[in-house]
């Protein structure tokens, strides 16, 4: 039995042989759920008092997204930057264009030989991934197929191994409005009670997850804010932006700490706290990675990191290493205590790397590249283990992360997409667990996951919170589509 | 988690090589690492305790409460509590969660050294100046102090002979150092006559004594495992001693033997040692030298000298070895700076690009058969994606038991430590003229200190 979802008619035919599959595969059903899924999202986007017809909202969102795309801005951070620094050397479009070709480094020849020699021996055992990823790519335009793939994926994910509970889909819980421009980054606080978001309107906002209220608006940055990071304790929040400064805030009181971290020569792109909260790593447009002593507000170490703007940085869970990535196509791992480079990862295509995250256990690195891929690396061996594809990512530096399902035993990778969607892949099988079609109008820039919740933010200025279905009792809405969606979810549940 | 990527030759290096850093906050007189080794507590001449974060080399905490030089520091196992003893006759137990003083114990004499029980942070043992050592239970606010004997226990037959003379001699015994064994069931005490007493914590009775040397036993320190002990004494010999297994329930005190394993000394120069320390594994012994700038490192297998650490231009007092790394800290006696020795690993340039390899000799490149074969890109991609069939576990963290315990407490990060009350002893008294601050200047008793520091700042 194939262990993946192939969204082609032939597959549904083959699936009908197995009794478990038949229950979920009827195309009419799945197309229905796709529509309903889509619809519920669309309804939430607009205030409940103004219900829109499905076609209407879809066309609107499309026009919006195309509009924002036509502005050719690379993520809201640089939008803000361009407003304040009109004398920027590179146009936004050219920023991510690859400046040099590293033919010497991109070992395409070696990979050729490897692939030919190895794949022969392994070819028969391995059908799953290409089809799923290729299939996912081809269904971009086709809602019905996507939904089918999604359902199948959920089903197959449930079939593999003996997980106690299958993947349960996320649905919209709340839309947090307040940012006046695109939102670049949104993060859950360590205790899960708060969300910090920041955007091109130079503000940082603290939201309460439970009520969806905006608790604080932290003003102080002089330009767009690209990144926020929570310290592990004490409600300490750091934000970095296009004014080259990293600011520290007490998120509980909303007060800023008086001494900002000053030292970068250009826009601060990405920051991350160490697990103890005593250090902060920052990556900047000035191509450097700085390690900061948070207590003393001083640069502890400057890492001669990259030859292009640094896109993302992250700390490993035990604080011994730091990862950084850049649009020069390199992902580097650094030793925190010595400041030395320990490993460099390059994919042979040498696509610009825009965002990087360590896995929760620190064994792998997840890297977003501008060839519409998210790659999982084993950084010890320097091997790319998985490629997650399907979403669209060619211009903006999208973010995402790891999440868990089936009682925290299984992991998924979540990422935004430039067509307004959110994608969730199973880490091992690379299957698409869920695809939220229109999560935002326009690009979804960043996503953070935490125990049954997702928070996403995008160029449309919204922050959206998503929760796992069936976790809470139904709210006020009881329309037929919602009911139908729930039935689907239950169906999957009942099968196990 | 970075060990997998670090040069194994660097990892196998056991002792530090070069002076790599300095820490400076006032005049440090004693230092101590916590069990995990990420914080270094330093007691200052003016009674302030400064906790350094060894990851950032910044100050994590400042604790004010003593008004005289700090004599000793002792961490609790989880790194949350710190016991300090001082020449102002006090011992204070600090809670590093909020920097508060949980207990203050006032003795009738200056304290030589105080050490916390390894598992119970409300119990400590202190050696006092010209007084009997004390076992102090501070679980209640009012401390319960038990006096410990200093007189060594002698065999009964031996005792009968010269009873009077013995008692007279024993009365002169004073305990100069007390430490707990690794379980905390026994206390090892050293006296000014060179005797080593083994005292049971429960009963406060000496169960075994042996004469180690003729001089004063100045310092004792156990390895992390508690199996070995190193002693410093005024006879200019550093001794390593096997600690017998005392955990048996039916322990017969007469069967205990404590033997000296190695004696380290400088026969030529007749150096005497200021302070001694074990390495993290206990394989090496290091000592700072009196009237000299060096630190001597011996290894214990053969008992040979392996390294003399040089660097600062001053005599070094207390030295302390990091609990898990080849990393030594020592404080200078004159300036009170803390010097750090460690290993400088060169950047491995093979880390800078995935296809760089470090080779010993030139290797002739052999082209592979299919190296320049051209395949359609799509096909290659597809094959690559095909190959990605590994089962990946991104979630489960492998923990060591030890680490869990040490991780239980996390020190809060304070953003408002005033570092400005200035650590320098050099004060400007006019244009171009500087003078050294006299010790204790600008320091009133206790609470007045902060106020003067502020006014000086203005």
């Amino acid at each position: 039995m194939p262990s993946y979802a192939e969204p082609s008619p032939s597959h549904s035919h083959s699936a009908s042989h197995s009794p478990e599959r038949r229950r979920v595969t009827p195309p009419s059903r799945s197309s229905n759920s796709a529509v309903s899924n889509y619809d519920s999202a669309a309804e939430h986007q607009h205030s409940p008092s103004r219900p829109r017809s499905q076609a209407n909202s879809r066309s609107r969102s499309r026009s919006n997204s195309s509009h924002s795309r036509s502005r050719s801005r690379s993520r809201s951070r640089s939008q803000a930057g361009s407003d304040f620094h009109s004398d920027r050397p590179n146009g936004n479009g050219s920023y991510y264009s690859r400046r040099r070709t590293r033919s010497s480094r991109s070992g395409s020849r070696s990979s050729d030989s490897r692939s030919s020699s190895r794949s022969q021996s392994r070819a028969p055992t391995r059908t799953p991934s290409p089809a799923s990823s290729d299939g996912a790519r081809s269904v971009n335009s086709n809602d019905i197929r996507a939904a089918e793939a999604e359902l199948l994926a959920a089903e197959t994910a449930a079939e593999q191994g003996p997980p106690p509970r299958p993947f349960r889909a996320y649905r919209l819980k709340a839309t947090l409005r307040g940012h006046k421009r695109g939102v670049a980054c949104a993060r859950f606080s360590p205790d899960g009670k708060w969300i910090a978001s920041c955007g091109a309107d130079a503000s940082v906002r603290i939201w309460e997850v439970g009520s969806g209220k905006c608790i604080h608006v932290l003003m102080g940055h002089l330009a767009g804010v690209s990144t926020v990071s929570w310290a592990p304790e004490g409600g300490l929040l750091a934000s970095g932006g296009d004014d080259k400064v990293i600011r520290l805030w007490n998120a509980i009181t909303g007060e800023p700490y008086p001494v900002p971290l000053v030292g970068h020569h250009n826009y601060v792109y990405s920051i991350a706290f160490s697990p103890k909260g005593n250090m902060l790593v920052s990556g900047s447009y000035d191509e450097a990675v700085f390690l900061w002593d948070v207590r003393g507000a001083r640069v502890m170490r400057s890492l001669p990191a990259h030859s292009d703007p640094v896109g993302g940085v992250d700390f490993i869970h035990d604080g011994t290493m730091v990862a950084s990535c850049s649009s020069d196509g390199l992902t580097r791992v650094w030793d925190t205590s010595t400041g030395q480079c320990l490993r460099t990862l390059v994919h042979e295509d040498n696509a610009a790397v825009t965002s990087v995250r360590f896995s929760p256990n620190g064994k792998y690195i997840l890297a977003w590249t501008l060839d519409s891929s998210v790659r999982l690396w084993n950084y010890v061996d320097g091997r790319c283990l998985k490629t997650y594809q399907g979403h669209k990512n060619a211009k903006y530096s999208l973010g995402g992360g790891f999440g868990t399902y089936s009682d925290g035993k299984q992991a998924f990778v979540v990422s935004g997409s430039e067509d307004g969607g959110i994608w969730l892949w199973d880490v091992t099988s690379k299957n698409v667990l869920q695809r939220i079609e229109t999560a935002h109008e326009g690009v979804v820039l960043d996503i953070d996951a935490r125990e049954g919740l997702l928070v996403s933010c995008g160029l449309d200025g919204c922050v959206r919170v998503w929760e796992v279905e069936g976790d809470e009792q139904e709210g006020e809405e009881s329309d037929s589509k919602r009911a139908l969606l729930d039935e689907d979810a239950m169906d999957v549940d009942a099968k196990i | 988690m970075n060990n997998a990527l670090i040069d194994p030759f660097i990892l196998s290096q056991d002792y530090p090589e070069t002076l790599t850093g300095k820490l400076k906050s006032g005049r440090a007189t004693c230092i101590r690492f916590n069990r995990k080794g990420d914080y270094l507590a330093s007691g200052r001449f003016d009674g302030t305790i400064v906790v350094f974060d060894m990851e950032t080399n910044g100050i994590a905490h400042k604790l004010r409460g003593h008004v005289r030089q700090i004599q000793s520091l002792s961490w609790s196992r989880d790194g949350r509590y710190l016991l300090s003893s001082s020449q102002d006759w006090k011992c204070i137990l600090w809670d590093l969660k909020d920097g508060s003083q949980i207990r203050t114990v006032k003795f009738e004499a200056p304290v030589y050294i105080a050490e916390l029980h390894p598992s119970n942070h409300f119990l400590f043992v202190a050696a006092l100046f010209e007084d009997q050592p004390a076992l102090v239970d501070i679980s209640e606010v009012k401390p319960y102090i038990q006096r410990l004997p200093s007189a060594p226990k002698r065999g009964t037959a031996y005792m009968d002979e010269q009873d009077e003379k013995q008692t007279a001699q024993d009365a002169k015994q004073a305990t100069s150092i007390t430490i707990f064994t690794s379980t905390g069931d026994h206390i090892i005490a050293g006296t000014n006559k060179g005797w080593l007493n083994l005292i049971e914590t429960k009963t406060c009775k000496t169960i075994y004594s042996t004469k180690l040397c003729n001089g004063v036993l100045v310092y004792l320190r156990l390895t992390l495992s508690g199996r070995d002990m190193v002693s410093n004494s005024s006879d200019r010999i550093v001794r390593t001693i096997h600690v017998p297994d005392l955990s048996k329930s039916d322990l017969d005190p007469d069967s205990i033997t404590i033997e000296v394993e190695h004696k380290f000394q400088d026969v030529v120069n007749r150096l005497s040692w200021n302070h001694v320390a074990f390495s993290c594994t206990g394989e090496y012994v290091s000592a700072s030298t009196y009237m000299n700038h060096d630190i001597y490192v011996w290894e214990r297998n053969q008992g040979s000298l392996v390294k003399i650490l040089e660097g600062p231009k001053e005599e070094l007092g207390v030295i302390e070895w990091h609990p898990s790394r080849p990393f030594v800290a020592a404080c200078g006696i004159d300036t009170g700076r803390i010097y750090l020795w460690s290993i400088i690993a060169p950047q491995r340039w093979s880390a800078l690009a995935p296809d760089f390899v470090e080779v010993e000799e030139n290797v002739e490149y052999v082209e592979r058969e299919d190296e320049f074969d051209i395949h359609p890109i799509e096909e290659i991609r597809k094959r690559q994606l095909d190959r990605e069939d590994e089962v990946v576990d991104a979630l489960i963290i492998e923990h060591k038991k030890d680490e869990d315990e040490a991780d239980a407490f996390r020190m809060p990060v304070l953003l408002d430590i005033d570092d400005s009350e200035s650590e320098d002893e050099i004060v400007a008294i006019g244009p171009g003229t500087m003078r050294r601050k006299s010790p204790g200047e600008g320091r009133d008793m206790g609470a007045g200190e902060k106020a003067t520091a502020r006014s000086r700042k203005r």
Side-chain angles (χ1 to χ4, degrees):
Chain A
M1 181 191 298
S3 61
Y4 66 97
E6 193 181 51
S8 68
S10 70
H11 178 80
S12 67
H13 171 72
S14 73
S16 67
H17 290 296
S18 73
E20 298 97 353
R21 287 228 171 159
R22 211 179 298 148
R23 304 183 55 174
V24 207
T25 37
S28 61
R29 256 295 259 324
S30 53
S31 71
N32 241 348
S33 82
V35 169
S36 64
N37 204 351
Y38 175 83
D39 241 10
S40 66
E43 269 170 26
H44 281 278
Q45 276 171 20
H46 312 294
S47 60
S49 59
R50 293 163 52 205
R52 279 165 186 276
S53 79
Q54 183 190 330
N56 193 359
S57 66
R58 185 187 298 187
S59 69
R60 189 187 125 156
S61 67
R62 256 198 207 142
S63 68
N64 260 0
S65 64
S66 67
H67 171 65
S68 64
R69 234 178 280 150
S70 68
R71 282 195 288 182
S72 94
R73 293 269 160 90
S74 61
R75 193 162 179 176
S76 64
R77 17 175 93 155
S78 38
Q79 268 186 27
S82 64
D83 288 349
F84 287 85
H85 309 273
S86 52
D87 56 342
R88 282 176 67 181
N90 309 315
N92 287 316
S94 71
Y95 157 50
Y96 277 129
S97 66
R98 281 165 44 205
R99 292 197 188 149
R100 55 210 88 184
T101 50
R102 269 159 230 277
S103 58
S104 65
R105 212 173 273 172
S106 69
S108 60
R109 36 204 165 89
S110 59
S111 73
D112 273 4
S113 63
R114 223 187 303 141
S115 63
S116 62
S117 62
R118 284 183 59 191
S119 64
Q120 272 178 357
S121 60
R122 293 216 192 167
T125 58
R126 232 175 295 126
T127 35
S129 38
S132 72
S133 58
D134 281 350
R137 211 183 294 148
S138 71
V139 296
N140 261 350
S141 55
N142 194 331
D143 289 351
I144 299 169
R145 282 192 176 183
E148 195 178 314
E150 203 175 287
L151 275 172
L152 272 169
E155 187 197 0
T156 46
E159 276 170 15
Q160 285 168 352
R165 293 163 89 178
F167 175 77
R168 288 183 298 167
Y170 284 86
R171 62 156 183 236
L172 189 63
K173 182 184 182 210
T175 300
L176 315 176
R177 289 173 202 279
H179 281 286
K180 294 183 180 66
R181 296 180 61 184
V183 186
C185 185
R187 289 290 148 93
F188 282 108
S189 68
D191 59 3
K193 287 182 189 155
W194 316 94
I195 292 169
S197 67
C198 64
D201 59 356
S203 73
V204 177
R205 279 166 193 266
I206 313 289
W207 314 83
E208 197 178 29
V209 174
S211 66
K213 279 188 191 133
C214 180
I215 306 295
H216 295 295
V217 182
L218 312 176
M219 299 298 292
H221 278 283
L222 301 174
V225 189
S226 305
T227 171
V228 286
S229 176
W230 289 91
E233 271 177 9
L236 176 65
L237 182 77
S239 63
D242 289 358
D243 56 356
K244 311 172 194 175
V245 169
I246 299 165
R247 286 178 190 279
L248 301 174
W249 312 86
N250 184 334
I252 298 166
T253 63
E255 295 289 316
Y257 284 97
V259 190
L261 312 183
V262 184
H264 274 298
H265 301 303
N266 215 325
Y267 319 132
V268 179
Y269 244 52
S270 177
I271 55 176
F273 266 105
S274 73
K276 276 197 216 155
N278 55 351
M279 289 182 284
L280 187 88
V281 61
S282 66
S284 159
Y285 208 92
D286 63 10
E287 303 174 3
V289 172
F290 283 1
L291 275 170
W292 300 84
D293 174 7
V294 174
R295 296 187 187 96
R298 64 186 171 91
V299 179
M300 227 170 74
R301 205 160 255 131
S302 161
L303 309 176
H306 294 283
S307 54
D308 266 332
V310 178
V313 287
D314 196 18
F315 249 107
I316 194 168
H317 70 86
D318 67 350
T320 54
M321 284 187 283
V322 161
S324 71
C325 65
S326 156
S327 41
D328 58 8
L330 308 181
T331 305
R332 289 201 149 130
V333 182
W334 306 86
D335 189 313
T336 317
S337 58
T338 63
Q340 291 185 346
C341 180
L342 294 178
R343 182 69 86 220
T344 303
L345 311 171
V346 190
H347 192 254
E348 53 208 54
D349 296 345
N350 207 20
V353 192
T354 56
S355 186
V356 70
R357 280 262 185 127
F358 275 103
S359 68
N361 64 1
K363 282 186 179 168
Y364 310 103
I365 286 177
L366 196 62
W368 277 254
T369 45
L370 286 185
D371 55 355
S372 293
S373 303
V374 181
R375 290 197 174 83
L376 187 74
W377 292 85
N378 179 336
Y379 57 84
V380 177
D381 307 347
R383 273 186 312 135
C384 174
L385 296 181
K386 305 279 174 190
T387 308
Y388 307 101
Q389 285 180 327
H391 66 303
K392 197 161 161 288
N393 183 10
K395 195 188 318 175
Y396 295 85
S397 84
L398 305 183
F402 286 91
T404 58
Y405 67 97
S406 78
D407 299 327
K409 291 192 181 63
Q410 305 283 321
F412 64 79
V413 169
V414 58
S415 168
S417 171
E418 284 173 9
D419 54 10
I422 296 175
W423 291 70
L424 284 82
W425 297 271
D426 181 77
V427 164
T428 296
S429 70
K430 301 195 288 178
N431 287 334
V432 178
L433 294 174
Q434 189 186 0
R435 178 187 168 198
I436 301 169
E437 194 92 1
T438 42
H440 286 264
E441 296 166 25
V443 181
V444 180
L445 286 171
D446 194 24
I447 297 179
D448 196 22
R450 155 175 289 275
E451 289 154 15
L453 287 174
L454 293 178
V455 59
S456 66
C457 61
L459 268 191
D460 59 356
C462 287
V463 177
R464 292 211 156 90
V465 185
W466 310 79
E467 67 181 349
V468 157
E469 274 171 12
D471 249 15
E472 269 177 54
Q473 72 281 13
E474 283 311 293
E476 61 285 349
E477 52 209 323
S478 59
D479 56 344
S480 56
K481 277 165 187 165
R482 164 70 54 189
L484 205 140
L485 198 74
D486 282 339
E487 209 177 287
D488 268 348
M490 279 166 56
D491 213 359
V492 179
D493 264 345
K495 182 172 56 62
I496 298 305
Chain B
M1 292 215 44
N2 54 356
N3 283 356
L5 292 175
I6 292 179
D7 191 342
F9 287 107
I10 299 292
L11 284 179
S12 64
Q13 176 90 38
D14 288 332
Y15 52 87
E17 293 277 341
T18 43
L19 187 70
T20 52
K22 286 174 202 163
L23 299 175
K24 175 79 180 148
S25 172
R27 202 179 137 191
T29 53
C30 73
I31 49 176
R32 192 78 179 245
F33 277 109
N34 68 343
R35 196 178 171 79
K36 214 176 153 195
D38 48 355
Y39 291 101
L40 179 72
S42 107
R44 289 190 347 198
F45 186 77
D46 63 357
T48 308
I49 297 160
V50 178
V51 180
F52 290 97
D53 183 336
M54 295 316 288
E55 288 175 355
T56 63
N57 284 0
I59 296 169
H61 243 307
K62 269 193 183 173
L63 308 168
R64 292 193 178 86
H66 289 294
V67 292
R68 291 266 188 285
Q69 180 181 330
I70 305 291
Q71 278 294 65
S72 77
L73 294 162
S74 174
W75 291 83
S76 70
R77 196 181 183 85
D78 61 358
R80 174 167 174 177
Y81 303 98
L82 184 68
L83 180 77
S84 62
S85 66
S86 161
Q87 289 180 358
D88 64 1
W89 305 13
K90 279 194 291 186
C91 284
I92 300 180
L93 183 71
W94 305 86
D95 184 354
L96 290 171
K97 181 127 194 145
D98 49 8
S100 62
Q101 304 179 11
I102 299 183
R103 299 281 187 273
T104 306
V105 181
K106 178 114 177 141
F107 294 100
E108 273 91 52
V111 188
Y112 275 134
I113 186 167
E115 199 186 61
L116 279 180
H117 188 272
S119 53
N120 176 7
H121 64 266
F122 282 127
L123 190 67
F124 73 89
V125 61
L128 305 172
F129 177 72
E130 292 183 343
D131 201 346
Q132 297 295 80
L135 177 69
V136 188
D137 184 346
I138 45 175
S139 45
E140 306 293 326
V141 177
K142 193 173 171 354
Y144 174 59
I145 302 177
Q146 285 171 286
R147 296 291 170 176
L148 301 175
S150 290
K153 183 191 173 197
R154 300 168 201 262
T156 38
Y158 188 57
M159 206 142 170
D160 288 337
E161 282 178 23
Q162 345 159 281
D163 208 1
E164 272 180 33
K165 200 179 162 195
Q166 271 313 332
T167 1
Q169 268 186 9
D170 285 355
K172 281 189 201 155
Q173 296 267 3
T175 303
S176 49
I177 165 91
T178 48
I179 55 170
F180 277 108
T181 57
S182 57
T183 55
D185 294 339
H186 297 84
I187 296 162
I188 303 170
T191 71
N192 58 351
K193 304 284 182 212
W195 282 82
L196 200 69
N197 295 330
L198 202 59
I199 303 167
E200 205 171 35
T201 311
K202 232 184 275 169
T203 56
C204 293
K205 290 219 173 85
T206 309
I207 56 165
Y208 175 79
S209 294
T210 181
K211 180 138 183 166
L212 215 60
C213 59
N214 284 320
V216 184
L217 266 176
V218 182
Y219 191 70
L220 295 169
R221 184 79 188 264
L222 292 174
T223 54
L224 278 180
S225 65
R227 297 268 181 76
D228 298 284
M229 184 165 64
V230 63
S231 75
N232 185 24
S233 52
S234 58
D235 63 354
R236 305 180 180 198
I237 298 173
V238 173
R239 291 173 173 83
T240 58
I241 301 147
H242 286 303
V243 179
D245 181 16
L246 304 167
S247 59
K248 279 175 281 178
S249 54
D250 54 337
L251 183 71
D252 176 17
D254 297 332
S255 69
I256 301 172
T257 46
I258 290 183
E259 355 170 309
V260 174
E261 182 199 37
H262 284 297
K263 289 182 183 177
F264 300 112
Q265 56 184 322
D266 186 335
V267 192
V268 181
N269 298 322
R270 298 290 295 156
L271 288 172
S272 64
W273 314 104
N274 281 342
H275 201 87
V276 291
F278 265 121
S279 77
C280 38
T281 54
E283 281 174 84
Y284 298 87
V285 175
S286 57
S288 58
T289 47
Y290 176 68
M291 298 287 279
N292 210 320
H293 302 172
D294 303 330
I295 290 178
Y296 281 56
V297 182
W298 298 274
E299 58 93 37
R300 259 179 54 207
N301 251 345
Q302 309 287 326
S304 58
L305 182 71
V306 291
K307 181 81 190 167
I308 296 177
L309 295 173
E310 298 167 340
K313 300 267 184 294
E314 66 174 310
E315 187 185 337
L316 298 163
V318 175
I319 64 171
E320 176 77 2
W321 203 298
H322 189 279
S324 58
R325 285 196 286 145
F327 185 92
V328 167
C331 36
I333 279 185
D334 298 331
T335 63
R337 270 200 191 100
I338 300 167
Y339 298 94
L340 309 171
W341 286 263
S342 137
I343 298 164
I344 298 177
Q347 168 74 53
R348 299 173 79 192
W349 51 270
S350 62
L352 296 174
D355 50 358
F356 284 5
V357 186
E358 286 175 29
V359 287
E360 292 289 314
E361 292 171 1
N362 283 341
V363 177
E364 197 164 321
Y365 186 75
V366 183
E367 184 185 311
R368 277 185 310 275
E369 170 63 33
D370 51 358
E371 186 161 346
F372 295 104
D373 290 2
I374 296 171
H375 296 281
I377 289 174
E378 281 308 311
E379 197 179 314
I380 294 166
R381 289 260 166 79
K382 204 175 161 189
R383 274 193 209 146
Q384 277 174 351
L385 292 174
D386 260 355
R387 252 183 286 130
E388 299 174 354
D389 62 345
E390 220 164 297
V391 174
V392 171
D393 170 32
L395 295 177
I396 295 171
I397 300 169
E398 289 150 14
H399 262 299
K400 287 181 200 156
K401 210 179 167 193
D402 254 22
E403 285 173 7
D404 280 351
E405 204 174 332
D407 277 339
F409 170 68
R410 191 192 276 159
M411 206 179 301
V413 175
L414 305 175
L415 298 178
D416 48 2
I417 299 169
D418 62 313
D419 199 23
S420 49
E421 122 251 34
S422 202
E423 330 286 289
D424 338 307
E425 290 97 35
I426 309 292
V427 229
I429 49 165
T433 44
M434 315 280 256
R435 79 174 162 82
R436 179 168 285 234
K437 209 198 286 179
S438 53
E441 186 193 335
R443 176 178 54 84
D444 288 344
M445 300 298 271
E449 186 189 353
K450 221 172 178 175
T452 47
R454 291 255 167 76
S455 61
R456 248 189 296 136
K457 228 190 291 170
R458 273 178 218 140

